[in-house]
Amino acid sequence: MKGTGTLYTVATPLGNLNDMTYRAVSTLQEVDAIACEDTRRASILLKHFNIEHKKLVSYHSANEQRAVGTILALLEEGNDIALVTDAGTPAISDPGYSLVREAFSREISVLPVPGASALTAALSACPLPSHNFFFAGFLPHKKGRKSRLEFLASLQSTVVFYESPYRIIKLLDELERVMPGAEIFIAREITKLHEEYITGSAEELARHFSEKKIRGEFVVVVYPASLNHQSHRNNENADHH
């Protein structure tokens, strides 16, 4: 009797297709089906790596409940499934959590195939202190947004957000009010043709982006001004000892 299959969470490139790992390519070649956020985007990726005749299962936030049942049924029939999102690592501010949780609850093997992640890519090029940080992902669009920002400001920690081009100016304006004086690093269009990495105050960055047509996804790293003051105090105390 055939056992259950394995679910592989496969990271895919943010933009530059050369960031696809050898293991990711071989995993997509070998699995029985691929669960993907957008079948058209996945088809472009598969074509680039000459991976043909794969069963694609649509799995995104709008059809998640139904799709999870379909994918679990395939796994329980013994099929190996790869989960990919449009870009980056599944389940990191992308669909994946519900499927992984259900697979674990049914004792189905879940294995990561690591690779690109906007979060770690941005932090690796960030000139602000980020050895300790809080990942906030995307903020709520409306309800709960203000209270969430106030909570994050209270953490006294570097905070990392994801933001869209439609709300980046709004976020910067909010940060100016909630975390005045914070140092901010923005990574935009990571690994793509027009990638950009820039630091400044919320006001300076809002001015920069309001002067151009905004494209691409943003990673926003915020280092509160209070941490700078705390660092100075610690240094002064060390000098006295």
Side-chain angles (χ1 to χ4, degrees):
M1 181 178 169
K2 194 175 183 183
T4 57
T6 297
L7 174 65
Y8 296 93
T9 57
V10 181
T12 54
L14 303 172
N16 191 323
L17 294 179
N18 288 330
D19 291 335
M20 189 77 165
T21 68
Y22 290 117
R23 185 180 171 214
V25 173
S26 64
T27 300
L28 295 184
Q29 287 171 334
E30 292 164 10
V31 293
D32 300 296
I34 299 170
C36 43
E37 193 175 0
D38 184 332
T39 55
R40 293 163 299 181
R41 291 278 290 271
S43 296
I44 293 168
L45 182 73
L46 296 175
K47 185 177 180 182
H48 181 82
F49 291 104
N50 299 312
I51 300 171
E52 300 176 331
H53 312 302
K54 285 292 172 185
K55 177 182 177 66
L56 300 182
V57 180
S58 176
Y59 173 60
H60 49 77
S61 54
N63 76 345
E64 195 164 22
Q65 198 167 2
R66 185 175 72 253
V68 164
T70 301
I71 297 163
L72 289 171
L74 288 168
L75 287 162
E76 289 179 331
E77 288 167 7
N79 297 288
D80 291 331
I81 310 287
L83 170 66
V84 300
T85 59
D86 287 348
T89 301
I92 308 298
S93 290
D94 264 326
Y97 164 74
S98 296
L99 176 58
V100 169
R101 182 177 173 81
E102 281 299 315
F104 261 89
S105 73
R106 299 185 189 205
E107 298 185 347
I108 294 169
S109 178
V110 180
L111 297 177
V113 180
S117 164
L119 171 66
T120 53
L123 288 175
S124 72
C126 178
L128 306 180
S130 58
H131 53 281
N132 183 8
F133 65 90
F134 185 94
F135 176 55
F138 286 100
L139 288 169
H141 293 180
K142 292 179 182 175
K143 188 176 180 183
R145 187 179 176 97
K146 183 172 181 288
S147 59
R148 180 68 172 163
L149 274 167
E150 288 170 349
F151 162 73
L152 294 168
S154 75
L155 294 179
Q156 296 297 296
S157 167
T158 296
V159 181
V160 185
F161 300 92
Y162 283 169
E163 192 51 276
S164 78
Y166 310 108
R167 280 178 293 277
I168 186 63
I169 300 296
K170 178 183 179 181
L171 175 62
L172 290 167
D173 289 343
E174 291 166 328
L175 290 172
E176 177 67 23
R177 290 195 301 272
V178 179
M179 299 186 195
E183 293 180 72
I184 299 173
F185 168 75
I186 285 181
R188 182 179 70 87
E189 290 282 77
I190 298 173
T191 79
K192 298 176 184 175
L193 183 61
H194 301 293
E195 64 186 332
E196 180 179 23
Y197 304 92
I198 184 171
T199 59
S201 67
E203 186 182 8
E204 289 166 343
L205 293 171
R207 189 162 58 246
H208 171 79
F209 288 111
S210 64
E211 291 169 355
K212 57 166 71 178
K213 186 172 177 62
I214 307 173
R215 289 193 177 91
E217 296 295 320
F218 290 73
V219 181
V220 182
V221 183
V222 184
Y223 185 66
S226 56
L227 292 182
N228 262 335
H229 300 150
Q230 190 176 318
S231 174
H232 290 320
R233 278 201 306 273
N234 290 342
N235 289 337
E236 285 171 5
N237 290 338
D239 290 340
H240 289 310
H241 290 301

